[in-house]
Amino acid sequence: MEVSVIGSSQAKLGASELASREVGFCNLKNNLRVLNDRVSFGRNNIRWEKAGISFTLRALQTEPVREEKKPSGIGTRSKTVDGVRLFVGLPLDAVSYDCKSINHARAIAAGLKALKLLGVEGVELPIWWGIVEKDAMGQYDWSGYLAIAEMVQKVGLKLHVSLCFHGSKKPNIPLPKWVSQIGESQPSIFFTDKSGQHYKECLSLAVDNLPVLDGKTPVQVYQSFCESFKSSFSPFMGSTIMSISMGLGPDGELRYPSHPQLPSNGKTQGAGEFQCYDQNMLSFLKQHAEASGNPLWGLGGPHDAPTYDQPPYNGFFNDGASWESTYGDFFLSWYSNQLIAHGDCLLSLASSTFGDSGVTIYGKLPLMHSWYGTRSHPSELTAGFYNTANRDGYEPVAQMFARNSCKIILPGMDLSDANQPEENHSSPELLLAQVMAACKKYEVKVSGQNSSESGVPGGFEQIKKNLSGDNVLDLFTYHRMGASFFSPEHFPLFTEFVRSLKQPELHSDDLPAKEEEGAESAMDMSHESSVSMQAA
């Protein structure tokens, strides 16, 4: 092996077989009726009561979920460690694609109440471009999401909204139909790899400012979307909605789709591939090479880079190979700068649009921790982060976020080095520490997330470790609400985790009576949520 290893893990992570079933909401029209645990709409107002929960959808108006008197313990304050606020993600398909019904309304309502009783501060809601502006440019339907916002408001929780300008295979939420139709005749609007494969779940950053969408640029379309969101949700902005994540690329993250099927925990076996082969990226590369006096460098990406699943033991990423050459610095600087410029553009758009709304703007980074223990850091390089043993690639990113007065979301707070396979020299802990150090240097606040929804060994303890100490975290979002989240195997562990954030030395036997009652009520509500979701 010719790749130098800086550090390596000691244990293999066992594969988790826990399945996570998602639940969902959808478009609210004029009335509500219950059919097979789904909610659909007509003209009449129907009141639904079960297990102490009631709500009415009157057009888009929601009655409050009934709450008992707040217990003096966990139901009165948000759980914090050194000022870290706790949120829980709603299902990715919280609004169904056909926009005709709310799925599992009982389960969601019960789940929201359970989280409130535990002292969780709020929930995160993904809002999909492919649902809201599905059929035609400029035709928006926010009704389902407005109903969820009102439900959250009535329960007394806060809301963090993620604006998703990408598609997802799981659950199946594509880009807007009209965008996909343009892509059929103009595939160059999508990222493209060396073999000509197109990544059709988000637009290439190279078309940000090109009029490829029926005469408009993607940036113009994103801006109109954000302005419509701001107008439609104005009653909630700065009160219920406290923060917004701006989608920046695949899975909402600021990165290239260097691994099209990137696992949720960021653990990859291969180096990934550079995504610079759509005609617009190649045109920009050609111009940059000619301006630098090396026109032959603009013909494409590195010729000796491995494919997606090949380990980086030969070619471009070897010690002393092309990545360390003058050419390597030329290409990797250009590739990374294109990504940072894209993030700069979209975060600037979000800051200018929402700057007077009383909300905080976030953008999400990936945690490409595979091969971090090698000198070349190939998984980071192909994803667009020029971070190697010779260069800190995250300081320019942190500077860009600071320039736009935005905060960073970092996943992987549940991942430890000890549970990574040795063969790909992964180190999520060291990578997190490096990114956090760059954020601290440029005074950028960080919001954390877990990566594995089905759980990893020692995950809760690792999260608590990352939330304590001399960190710059101000918010943590636990992903994600669903059947497994409320299961008898998981929810008690989550309850103890929440308790421990505020009272790390207090055991359940020592809880005050009212706090114990609040915890029992939360468990009851979680049981209803789990039964509802499992039955669907």
Side-chain angles (χ1 to χ4, degrees):
M1 183 186 302
E2 299 182 40
V3 179
S4 294
V5 177
I6 296 174
S8 60
S9 304
Q10 301 301 316
K12 279 192 175 182
L13 173 65
S16 174
E17 298 298 327
L18 295 176
S20 176
R21 296 182 59 194
E22 299 287 351
V23 296
F25 280 120
C26 197
N27 186 20
L28 307 184
K29 296 300 183 184
N30 295 321
N31 82 356
L32 160 80
R33 61 181 182 278
V34 180
L35 292 171
N36 297 325
D37 217 20
R38 296 170 68 87
V39 180
S40 44
F41 299 89
R43 294 184 178 178
N44 299 322
N45 298 322
I46 297 177
R47 192 171 182 84
W48 178 6
E49 298 191 17
K50 184 175 181 181
I53 300 176
S54 66
F55 62 92
T56 301
L57 298 173
R58 204 175 275 118
L60 295 177
Q61 301 302 312
T62 310
E63 294 281 316
V65 173
R66 290 190 186 132
E67 297 182 52
E68 293 87 357
K69 291 181 180 179
K70 293 180 180 179
S72 59
I74 58 174
T76 57
R77 296 183 301 271
S78 299
K79 298 298 177 185
T80 62
V81 171
D82 297 334
V84 179
R85 297 169 292 133
L86 180 61
F87 278 54
V88 172
L90 292 173
L92 289 173
D93 57 352
V95 171
S96 65
Y97 182 67
D98 63 8
C99 289
K100 300 296 182 186
S101 62
I102 292 181
N103 299 323
H104 314 289
R106 290 184 178 93
I108 295 296
L112 291 175
K113 191 172 186 182
L115 296 178
K116 178 65 176 178
L117 287 170
L118 280 179
V120 170
E121 181 167 321
V123 291
E124 177 261 345
L125 173 64
I127 294 183
W128 297 89
W129 183 28
I131 291 177
V132 173
E133 199 178 359
K134 179 174 63 177
D135 294 320
M137 181 166 55
Q139 294 183 12
Y140 309 105
D141 185 353
W142 301 102
S143 51
Y145 292 114
L146 283 165
I148 294 176
E150 186 148 0
M151 182 184 292
V152 171
Q153 182 185 62
K154 297 297 185 181
V155 176
L157 293 171
K158 299 297 183 182
L159 192 58
H160 176 104
V161 170
S162 297
L163 301 180
C164 303
F165 295 108
H166 63 283
S168 174
K169 290 188 182 298
K170 199 172 181 180
N172 183 24
I173 303 175
L175 293 179
K177 289 180 179 178
W178 61 276
V179 173
S180 297
Q181 289 169 356
I182 292 172
E184 289 176 5
S185 59
Q186 301 180 52
S188 61
I189 67 173
F190 300 120
F191 285 109
T192 307
D193 63 19
K194 189 175 183 179
S195 64
Q197 296 182 82
H198 303 295
Y199 181 82
K200 297 184 178 181
E201 291 175 28
C202 72
L203 299 179
S204 169
L205 59 81
V207 299
D208 278 353
N209 295 295
L210 300 179
V212 296
L213 299 181
D214 291 337
K216 287 194 174 183
T217 71
V219 169
Q220 289 173 325
V221 173
Y222 300 153
Q223 182 165 11
S224 296
F225 185 94
C226 291
E227 289 172 347
S228 178
F229 170 81
K230 178 183 177 182
S231 174
S232 300
F233 286 81
S234 58
F236 303 97
M237 301 288 279
S239 54
T240 297
I241 298 176
M242 302 303 296
S243 49
I244 297 172
S245 294
M246 187 67 176
L248 302 176
D251 298 324
E253 298 174 338
L254 181 67
R255 65 175 173 89
Y256 293 98
S258 52
H259 289 89
Q261 302 301 321
L262 182 66
S264 61
N265 61 7
K267 181 176 61 181
T268 59
Q269 295 301 315
E273 289 192 21
F274 293 109
Q275 305 290 308
C276 59
Y277 293 93
D278 66 76
Q279 69 178 38
N280 299 298
M281 285 289 283
L282 286 174
S283 175
F284 292 163
L285 177 58
K286 181 175 182 291
Q287 294 172 28
H288 184 60
E290 290 174 350
S292 70
N294 296 285
L296 294 180
W297 289 356
L299 301 180
H303 71 279
D304 56 347
T307 59
Y308 289 111
D309 296 324
Q310 288 180 325
Y313 296 154
N314 295 295
F316 184 79
F317 298 111
N318 281 356
D319 288 351
S322 300
W323 71 273
E324 292 190 276
S325 68
T326 303
Y327 163 75
D329 182 65
F330 159 84
F331 175 79
L332 294 171
S333 295
W334 170 82
Y335 190 67
S336 175
N337 287 339
Q338 293 292 304
L339 184 68
I340 292 174
H342 168 74
D344 199 7
C345 177
L346 294 194
L347 290 180
S348 176
L349 184 161
S351 294
S352 62
T353 303
F354 301 115
D356 59 351
S357 302
V359 299
T360 303
I361 306 301
Y362 286 83
K364 187 176 180 180
L365 299 185
L367 197 71
M368 307 299 295
H369 55 83
S370 293
W371 309 105
Y372 186 83
T374 66
R375 293 184 63 248
S376 59
H377 296 216
S379 289
E380 293 164 84
L381 297 185
T382 56
F385 297 91
Y386 189 4
N387 188 59
T388 68
N390 305 329
R391 186 180 188 278
D392 190 326
Y394 295 99
E395 287 202 4
V397 177
Q399 285 179 289
M400 182 268 289
F401 273 81
R403 184 162 60 248
N404 290 289
S405 300
C406 295
K407 299 183 180 182
I408 287 177
I409 296 173
L410 282 177
M413 296 285 166
D414 55 334
L415 304 179
S416 62
D417 288 1
N419 287 310
Q420 303 303 314
E422 294 182 9
E423 58 266 22
N424 64 354
H425 311 296
S426 174
S427 182
E429 293 186 57
L430 290 178
L431 178 52
L432 269 175
Q434 181 185 354
V435 180
M436 297 281 276
C439 292
K440 187 172 183 178
K441 179 175 180 179
Y442 294 99
E443 300 181 339
V444 176
K445 292 282 188 175
V446 174
S447 168
Q449 292 179 357
N450 55 309
S451 289
S452 175
E453 295 181 18
S454 58
V456 294
F460 283 121
E461 291 303 313
Q462 190 66 25
I463 293 170
K464 286 190 287 185
K465 176 182 174 182
N466 283 316
L467 296 185
S468 62
D470 188 23
N471 288 329
V472 289
L473 287 169
D474 74 330
L475 184 149
F476 179 79
T477 301
Y478 190 87
H479 279 168
R480 178 173 297 277
M481 187 187 288
S484 62
F485 176 81
F486 288 114
S487 69
E489 296 77 22
H490 179 271
F491 195 73
L493 297 176
F494 178 76
T495 300
E496 291 304 315
F497 164 70
V498 175
R499 285 175 173 172
S500 69
L501 295 185
K502 187 68 178 178
Q503 299 165 319
E505 303 300 327
L506 190 61
H507 297 286
S508 59
D509 292 343
D510 302 322
L511 287 172
K514 288 186 178 180
E515 182 166 341
E516 191 68 50
E517 291 172 7
E520 290 176 0
S521 297
M523 293 296 291
D524 290 341
M525 303 310 297
S526 75
H527 176 69
E528 181 182 353
S529 288
S530 182
V531 169
S532 264
M533 295 178 195
Q534 295 285 3

